Amino acid sequence: MSMFCTLRVFLLSRSITLLLFCIICCSSSEISTHEKERVSHFHVMKGSSLLNDALLDCSSDASSSSSTTSSMQGAQSEKSSMKIVHRKHHCSNSHPLNQNEEDIPKSGGKILENYLLQDQIRVNYIQSKFSKNENNSEYFPSRKDSKVSSIPAKSGIPLSIGNYYVNVGFGTPKKDLSLIFDTGSDFSWIQCKPCVVSCHEQEQPVFDPSQSKTYSNISCNSTECAQLRSATSLTPRCSSSTCVYGIQYGDQSYSVGYFGSEKITLTSRDVFRNFRFGCGQNNRGLFGKTAGLLGLGRDRLSLISQTARQYRQVFSYCLPSSVSSTGYLKLGNDKKDKISSTKFTPLLTNSKGPSFYFLDMTSITVGGTKLAIAASVFASSGTIIDSGTVISRLPSSAYAALRSSFRSFMSQYPLTTPTRLLDTCYNLTSFDVVSVPKIILNFRGGVDLDVNFYGLLVGPIEQICLAFAGNQDDTDVAILGNRQQQTIKVIYNVAGKKLGFIPGGCSS
C-alpha cells in the first residue's frame, strides 16, 4: 500500500543535500539505508525550541514553589534519593534562591556573557589546582584570636560554584536547607548563627546549632581537625579549643567557621549522625540564597566518603535540562538501573588533584565521523567530570578539530559575533527547522556519551553558540561540564573505580 509522505530537505554542504526527516506518514521502506544512517547522526529541531534555554530563561515557573522541598522518591535502605533543581542564578526574581544577586543583565546575550565569565573563573580555579605553584595558605585568616577572622574579598564577579541544588535536613529537630551540590568540592558547609562576621541572605532561616540537640564542635587537637587540610587546601586554625576551617574559591569567595558534627537527614529513612561539616560564621560569594554547599568529591570528609558504610561509595544523578523539570541525586545502588547492559569507563585519579573524578577520553565523533585527534592529546591533559562547570573544556587541538568539523556541517547557517569564550555562534532566527550534527564523546572501554541536543548549543537564538570551549594549552586539564551531562544518568561507583552513562536518565 502506497503512503503519502511530506518531506523537508536541507542543504548540509555546497555539494550535497541530506534528507532530514519525514513529518507525516513516512514508511521506513521509503528511506534508503544510507539515508537512515545519515539521519541518525543529526539532531533536527524546530527553531522555536531553541528559545527555551534554561540558562537564559528568567520567566517564572512552577518549580519555584514546589522544588525547594525534599523529594523522598523510593527511599530504601540501599538507596537515598533527593530532588535536584536547576538554579537560575542569573535571574534576579524568578526563584527565591536567587533574589540577593544584584546587577544581573536581562538580555539573552548579556546574560550569556556574564554566565560564561563566571564559568571561566571556576575553570581557572580548578586548573590552578594542578599548577606546580599553587599556594592557598595566604587566604586563611592570620589573626589568632577568640573570634573567626574576616577574609577580605577581592573585587570581581563572584564564583558560581554550582548550578543545581538539593535539600538536606540538619540537626534535631530537623531543619531543611537548600545546598548547592558539587562533585568538584569535598567539604560541606552551611551558614550558622550567630554569624560572627557575615552571612549572606538565604531562603530558609539560618541554622542555629545552639537549638539542636545533636550538634557538637570538633576540638583543635582531634584527628578530625587534622583531616581538614586535604578537604579545604587550608591548614585549620583554633578558636579557643574549637577547630576552625577556612575554604577559598576561585575568585576569593569563601566560607570560614567552626568545624562541627551534626545529624543530617537525606530522606525519612536515611539519617546519619556525626556528619562532619563546616558551621560558617563568615561567608561571602555568589551562593544565591542557598544555605551552603554539599561536597561530593573523593576526600574522606565528602558526603560520599562519610556515608560509605551505607551506600558503598556509589551515587548517581541526572541534571534537568530546563527549569520546569527536576532531576535527582541518588546515593547507593539503584535497582532500576540495568547495570548488566550499562558500559562503564574507569574512574581514574591524579596525584595533583586526588579528589577529582578523572576519565580517559579517547576521541570525539561529530556527525558520525570520528575526528582525527591523536590519543596522546587527551592523555597529556587528562579529563575530569564536574557538576559545577557549565561548558566543557577540551585540549586546544582537540577543540580546533571539533570546531572545524562542526562548522563544516553547519555551513548552511550564518555565523554571527562570537562571545568572549565561545567562538562558533550562529543567528538562527530565520530558520523554522535546524539540523545539528550529533557530538559523541568517546571514553575508554567503548563508553560513548551522546550529547543531548541542548548540550550542544547555548545562548539566545540570535547568537546561539557551540557549547564547547578550548583550553589555552593541550596540557591544561579538560573538563566534562554539566551542560553536556544534562538528561543523562551519570553513575559513579567510586569504590569500584568506574563510571557509566545512561541516556534519558531523568525519567527513571
Side-chain angles (χ1 to χ4, degrees):
M1 182 176 68
S2 63
M3 300 179 68
F4 179 79
C5 196
T6 301
L7 305 175
R8 288 179 184 257
V9 179
F10 294 85
L11 183 66
L12 291 185
S13 71
R14 293 182 180 180
S15 59
I16 63 171
T17 59
L18 173 65
L19 178 64
L20 294 177
F21 64 96
C22 178
I23 297 180
I24 304 174
C25 302
C26 191
S27 71
S28 59
S29 62
E30 293 180 68
I31 303 178
S32 70
T33 300
H34 175 70
E35 287 170 336
K36 287 181 184 178
E37 291 176 353
R38 294 296 303 274
V39 169
S40 68
H41 299 313
F42 291 82
H43 293 285
V44 181
M45 302 291 289
K46 290 183 178 180
S48 59
S49 67
L50 302 178
L51 300 173
N52 302 321
D53 194 331
L55 193 67
L56 309 175
D57 179 15
C58 285
S59 60
S60 60
D61 58 76
S63 65
S64 63
S65 61
S66 62
S67 60
T68 55
T69 58
S70 295
S71 173
M72 302 178 182
Q73 40 188 301
Q76 304 170 4
S77 60
E78 304 91 353
K79 180 190 69 178
S80 175
S81 180
M82 293 169 282
K83 182 185 293 183
I84 289 177
V85 181
H86 194 288
R87 175 170 165 258
K88 300 188 296 183
H89 78 274
H90 58 276
C91 303
S92 60
N93 296 311
S94 60
H95 195 282
L97 297 181
N98 302 307
Q99 289 175 355
N100 70 332
E101 298 169 19
E102 300 175 354
D103 301 323
I104 304 297
K106 299 301 186 293
S107 70
K110 290 183 179 179
I111 288 172
L112 181 61
E113 287 282 346
N114 187 63
Y115 200 88
L116 294 175
L117 177 57
Q118 294 173 34
D119 196 45
Q120 187 59 47
I121 291 172
R122 177 183 175 87
V123 169
N124 292 343
Y125 169 63
I126 289 175
Q127 292 180 340
S128 73
K129 290 286 188 178
F130 302 93
S131 169
K132 294 180 180 180
N133 299 317
E134 181 191 9
N135 181 4
N136 290 326
S137 60
E138 62 183 290
Y139 296 143
F140 200 92
S142 59
R143 210 170 56 212
K144 298 180 180 179
D145 56 20
S146 61
K147 293 185 178 181
V148 179
S149 302
S150 172
I151 306 175
K154 292 183 179 179
S155 61
I157 298 177
L159 175 67
S160 173
I161 59 172
N163 303 298
Y164 299 89
Y165 67 88
V166 293
N167 292 277
V168 177
F170 277 76
T172 307
K174 178 175 70 75
K175 304 296 183 183
D176 288 327
L177 299 172
S178 299
L179 305 180
I180 299 167
F181 84 89
D182 188 3
T183 60
S185 297
D186 294 306
F187 191 65
S188 301
W189 60 268
I190 62 172
Q191 299 196 116
C192 290
K193 289 184 177 180
C195 296
V196 173
V197 179
S198 174
C199 283
H200 59 261
E201 186 181 357
Q202 65 180 57
E203 183 195 17
Q204 301 101 342
V206 174
F207 182 73
D208 188 347
S210 69
Q211 300 302 308
S212 173
K213 299 176 182 178
T214 46
Y215 177 84
S216 61
N217 285 324
I218 294 175
S219 65
C220 292
N221 58 1
S222 65
T223 302
E224 291 86 351
C225 187
Q227 295 173 348
L228 266 175
R229 180 169 175 78
S230 64
T232 64
S233 299
L234 299 175
T235 302
R237 301 293 173 87
C238 220
S239 178
S240 298
S241 62
T242 300
C243 184
V244 175
Y245 77 90
I247 188 164
Q248 186 86 30
Y249 300 104
D251 68 331
Q252 295 196 38
S253 301
Y254 58 82
S255 176
V256 180
Y258 303 117
F259 189 32
S261 174
E262 181 58 285
K263 182 177 78 173
I264 62 169
T265 302
L266 304 180
T267 75
S268 59
R269 298 185 184 183
D270 298 275
V271 180
F272 296 87
R273 295 182 179 275
N274 303 316
F275 179 73
R276 288 159 289 164
F277 72 108
C279 209
Q281 301 295 321
N282 186 14
N283 317 288
R284 296 285 179 88
L286 190 63
F287 305 113
K289 296 187 74 175
T290 60
L293 182 142
L294 191 65
L296 301 182
R298 281 174 153 160
D299 187 82
R300 69 187 75 186
L301 288 180
S302 74
L303 176 68
I304 305 308
S305 296
Q306 291 196 57
T307 59
R309 181 174 297 181
Q310 177 78 2
Y311 305 125
R312 302 180 181 181
Q313 291 185 291
V314 175
F315 72 99
S316 60
Y317 57 72
C318 188
L319 306 178
S321 61
S322 70
V323 295
S324 60
S325 59
T326 57
Y328 53 79
L329 168 65
K330 294 181 180 180
L331 304 181
N333 285 306
D334 190 345
K335 293 180 179 179
K336 294 181 181 179
D337 292 337
K338 297 179 180 179
I339 298 298
S340 60
S341 61
T342 301
K343 288 186 177 181
F344 286 86
T345 189
L347 267 179
L348 309 174
T349 57
N350 184 301
S351 59
K352 293 182 179 179
S355 293
F356 288 100
Y357 296 105
F358 274 82
L359 306 175
D360 185 6
M361 188 184 297
T362 57
S363 58
I364 300 174
T365 301
V366 181
T369 302
K370 184 175 292 187
L371 302 182
I373 305 171
S376 59
V377 170
F378 296 108
S380 63
S381 68
T383 302
I384 66 170
I385 180 170
D386 182 41
S387 68
T389 299
V390 180
I391 303 297
S392 289
R393 302 308 202 276
L394 298 173
S396 56
S397 59
Y399 174 70
L402 170 64
R403 175 183 58 195
S404 176
S405 178
F406 188 84
R407 286 187 175 185
S408 176
F409 280 117
M410 295 283 287
S411 60
Q412 74 273 30
Y413 303 113
L415 285 164
T416 190
T417 307
T419 71
R420 70 171 71 232
L421 176 67
L422 306 178
D423 61 8
T424 300
C425 304
Y426 299 89
N427 184 344
L428 302 180
T429 54
S430 61
F431 294 87
D432 294 330
V433 177
V434 177
S435 171
V436 180
K438 289 185 177 181
I439 296 177
I440 299 176
L441 306 179
N442 312 119
F443 297 89
R444 191 206 300 183
V447 174
D448 298 330
L449 175 57
D450 189 345
V451 179
N452 178 279
F453 177 82
Y454 292 102
L456 300 181
L457 299 169
V458 63
I461 193 170
E462 68 274 10
Q463 188 190 28
I464 194 164
C465 305
L466 175 63
F468 288 82
N471 286 327
Q472 292 185 354
D473 190 87
D474 274 354
T475 59
D476 293 333
V477 66
I479 303 174
L480 176 55
N482 65 42
R483 185 81 181 184
Q484 285 67 43
Q485 298 176 53
Q486 288 178 356
T487 74
I488 304 292
K489 183 168 189 175
V490 186
I491 305 173
Y492 295 71
N493 187 330
V494 183
K497 300 180 180 180
K498 59 183 182 179
L499 179 142
F501 301 109
I502 299 179
C506 287
S507 60
S508 64

